[in-house]
């Protein structure tokens, strides 16, 4: 090899300006073309998210809309749109719109509706400021915790897998596009007949034991009353189960960190590094939420409603509740693609009611905890999509560079969401429109403390803890069972059963190739369900 060839080889292996070792440059989120597209998509996503939450009570997945927009622009034969041919640029587009949609609806608009319905209008602006900060911290923490022992990149994160498969199919075509197209059509047709095809798709790719527990929870909560006359919600069984499972899950995460840190020379360096990053992130997260809790207590005037001791207890509880809410929502979404953020926020509120915090404090508590979790889960979906598109960490430096750009794209989406909600919330409130779940939070606060509720929560926390303990930190059986119990959708349970059956039988009938095809097909089914839900929601809201 000549000296010139050697020099060229050294230069190609040296780190580039974006931190990669191979010289590959990841598209920049702040590049003019990408920035303009992300801004436009973010405004659209935030408006649609708030409108559909206020009208229908649901938040649509807009991730694929962003990817399709970038794909469409890439087909325009002009030099200005050439950059959108990159799957990584398309990943940035879907990251920004998804962040704006879930951020505006679930993390911002929903929490500020609680003080409005309670008649505490002077709390709305301080609450918006506080939950905006919580949302940004929420996403940043997932960015730091992603691909650590608690939130491995190898876990399903189903909507992220669906987005990645759609982008890959659009880029590569061929067999992958055919299988994805078949899944897409199946998902669309099933959704037309009101079948929750996302549950079917998730069952094809999620952990087998976790999906079985999730499906069991869905079926138990749906049929306990019609078959056995048991109203499990009135007994607070799902809520108690999640409390018990959540506490054990927190201990399991702590043990995982300690085990990885104390591991010997045979413990992989990546595992030790991930454990250190996870531990540091948890400390930073608790510190950030503590600061936000104090700011909310001061900004909303809670200091005038509580004694100093009660105020200190409230700040401590709100900090821990918000952090636990985030972790539980993240674990559930990582395995199932469903995050019961509304229900888990209600659980933290019920505990606060039992403790005896005054109504004004409970209003702040419910809004604060509801704001954490959605952005955390959505960021995980987006990073999973990017992880798959970047080759599943085949080039670690390029992977980290891509994650940084995704974080920037997400933050653009979140900032746009804050602006959209700040400008539009009065219009919705003046017409009496809030997130429907807000009424449930307000009703619970007005009902006040109940010794019977406390007994039920404590009673059912025990079996929740036992199931989580038996399943271990990898399977998360307690969390997944409780997640299913918190969602009353009978058909979703049957679709999970159908997906598990197909998953078990397909390899025996179609051979070893079936596993890869099932993953692509599952991505299509989830994408089809999301696209139909989005389109149907927009049409319904317009009508």
């Amino acid at each position: 090899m000549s000296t010139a060839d050697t020099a060229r080889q050294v230069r190609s292996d040296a780190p580039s300006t974006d931190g990669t070792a191979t010289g590959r440059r990841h598209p920049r989120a702040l590049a003019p073309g990408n920035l303009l597209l992300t801004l436009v998509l973010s405004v659209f996503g935030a408006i649609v998210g708030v409108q559909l939450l206020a009208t229908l009570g649901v938040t649509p997945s807009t991730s694929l809309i962003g990817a399709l927009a970038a794909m469409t622009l890439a087909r325009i034969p002009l030099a200005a749109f050439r950059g959108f041919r990159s799957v990584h640029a398309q990943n940035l587009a879907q990251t920004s719109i998804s962040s704006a949609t879930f951020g505006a609806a679930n993390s911002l608009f929903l929490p500020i509706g609680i003080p409005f319905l309670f008649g505490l209008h002077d709390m709305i602006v301080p609450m918006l400021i506080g939950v905006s900060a919580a949302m940004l911290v929420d996403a940043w923490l997932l960015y730091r915790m992603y691909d650590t022992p608690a939130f491995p990149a190898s876990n399903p994160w189903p909507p992220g897998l669906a987005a990645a498969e759609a982008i890959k199919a659009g880029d590569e075509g061929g067999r992958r596009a055919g299988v994805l197209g078949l899944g897409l059509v199946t998902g669309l047709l099933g959704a037309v007949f009101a079948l929750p095809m996302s549950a079917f798709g998730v069952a094809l790719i999620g952990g087998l034991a976790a999906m079985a527990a999730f499906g069991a929870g869905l079926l138990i909560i749906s049929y306990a009353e019609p078959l056995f006359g048991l109203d499990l919600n009135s007994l607070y069984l799902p809520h108690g189960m999640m409390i018990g499972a959540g506490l054990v899950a927190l201990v399991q995460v702590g043990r995982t960190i300690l085990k990885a840190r104390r591991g010997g020379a045979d413990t992989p360096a990546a595992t030790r590094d991930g454990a250190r990053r996870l531990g540091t992130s948890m400390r930073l997260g608790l510190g950030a939420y503590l600061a936000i809790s104090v700011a909310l207590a001061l900004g909303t005037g809670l200091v005038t409603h509580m004694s100093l001791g009660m105020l200190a207890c409230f700040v401590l509880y709100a900090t821990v509740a918000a952090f636990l809410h985030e972790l539980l929502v993240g674990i559930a979404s990582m395995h199932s693609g469903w995050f019961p953020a509304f229900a888990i926020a209600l659980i933290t509120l019920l505990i606060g009611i039992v403790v005896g915090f005054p109504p004004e404090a409970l209003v702040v508590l419910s809004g604060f905890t509801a704001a954490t979790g959605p952005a955390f889960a959505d960021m995980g979906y987006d990073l999973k999509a990017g992880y798959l598109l970047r080759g599943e960490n085949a080039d670690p430096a390029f992977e980290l560079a891509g994650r940084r750009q995704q974080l920037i794209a997400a933050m653009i989406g979140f900032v746009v969401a804050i602006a959209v909600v700040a400008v539009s919330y009065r219009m919705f409130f003046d017409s009496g429109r809030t997130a429907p779940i807000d009424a449930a939070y307000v009703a619970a606060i007005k009902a006040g403390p109940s010794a019977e509720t406390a007994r039920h929560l404590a009673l059912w926390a025990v079996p929740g803890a036992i199931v989580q303990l038996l399943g271990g930190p990898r399977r998360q059986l307690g969390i997944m069972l409780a997640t299913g119990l918190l969602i009353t959708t009978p058909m979703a349970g049957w679709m999970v059963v159908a997906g598990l059956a197909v998953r078990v039988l397909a390899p025996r009938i179609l051979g070893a190739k079936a596993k890869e095809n099932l993953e692509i097909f599952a991505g299509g089914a989830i994408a089809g369900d999301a696209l139909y839900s989005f389109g149907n929601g927009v049409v319904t809201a317009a009508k």
Side-chain angles (χ1 to χ4, degrees), residues 63-431:
S63 179
L64 289 171
I65 304 301
L68 290 172
M71 291 179 195
T72 302
L73 290 175
R75 300 300 187 269
I76 300 176
L78 293 175
F81 301 108
R82 192 176 301 154
F84 295 121
R85 295 175 187 172
S86 165
V87 296
H88 308 300
Q90 294 165 17
N91 178 224
L92 294 179
Q94 59 92 192
T95 297
S96 62
I97 188 174
S98 181
S99 300
T101 302
F102 281 100
N106 294 47
S107 297
L108 301 179
F109 184 72
L110 185 154
I112 64 173
I114 302 170
F116 169 76
L117 289 181
F118 208 83
L120 300 172
H121 294 189
D122 57 333
M123 281 190 178
I124 294 176
V125 173
M127 180 77 85
L128 178 58
I129 295 171
V131 296
S132 296
M135 174 185 68
L136 296 175
V137 170
D138 201 30
W140 176 73
L141 285 176
L142 190 281
Y143 166 76
R144 287 186 55 89
M145 292 184 185
Y146 187 75
D147 204 16
T148 64
F151 298 99
S154 58
N155 276 352
W157 303 97
L161 184 146
E165 291 298 344
I167 293 173
K168 282 182 182 179
D171 182 61
E172 299 175 13
R175 181 188 63 83
R176 179 182 292 274
V179 176
L180 183 88
L182 180 61
L184 191 70
V185 171
T186 303
L188 284 169
L189 289 176
V192 168
F193 292 99
L195 297 177
M197 296 305 294
S198 58
F200 176 75
V202 165
L204 296 175
I205 55 177
L208 195 63
M211 285 298 97
F214 179 54
L218 289 165
L219 292 175
I220 290 170
I221 196 65
S222 299
Y223 293 103
E225 187 169 9
L227 293 182
F228 305 105
L230 295 174
D231 183 359
L232 301 183
N233 281 309
S234 68
L235 297 175
Y236 293 100
L237 181 147
H239 311 81
M241 293 277 284
M242 181 61 85
I243 290 171
L247 291 175
V248 171
L250 183 63
V251 173
Q252 289 172 335
V253 169
R255 289 188 63 187
T256 299
I257 295 173
L258 291 176
K259 182 179 179 181
R261 284 187 168 183
R262 294 173 179 173
D266 57 335
T267 303
T271 301
R272 292 197 299 270
D273 178 67
R276 283 193 296 269
R277 184 154 42 94
L278 178 62
T280 302
S281 299
M282 293 180 73
R283 290 193 296 273
L284 290 173
L286 283 169
Y289 288 140
L290 176 61
I292 296 171
S293 298
V294 172
L296 278 170
L298 295 173
T300 57
L302 290 186
V303 290
T304 63
H305 297 283
M306 290 186 284
S307 65
L308 187 60
M310 180 63 80
L311 181 64
C313 290
F314 170 78
V315 167
L316 180 61
Y317 175 70
T319 300
V320 175
F323 189 67
L324 274 176
H325 182 267
E326 173 185 80
L327 293 181
L328 295 180
V329 169
I331 290 171
S333 62
M334 174 174 64
H335 286 281
S336 70
W338 298 48
F339 54 90
F342 301 166
I344 297 178
L346 181 60
I347 292 170
T348 62
L349 174 60
L350 290 173
I351 297 175
I353 292 172
V354 170
V355 171
F357 294 125
E360 295 82 3
L362 295 171
V363 168
V364 174
L365 172 68
S366 55
F368 179 38
T369 54
T372 64
F376 191 86
D378 184 66
M379 192 71 188
Y381 299 154
D382 295 333
L383 291 181
K384 175 67 175 185
Y387 176 81
L388 293 172
L389 292 170
R390 290 186 289 267
E392 301 181 53
N393 207 32
D395 181 349
F398 186 69
E399 168 62 23
L400 292 178
R403 283 189 212 170
R404 283 193 293 271
Q405 295 305 317
Q406 281 192 263
L407 177 65
I408 295 171
M411 289 301 174
I412 292 171
F414 290 131
V415 170
V416 169
I418 294 170
V420 167
V421 173
V423 169
S424 65
Y425 79 86
R426 290 186 184 277
M427 176 185 68
F428 286 95
F429 290 174
D430 288 345
S431 60

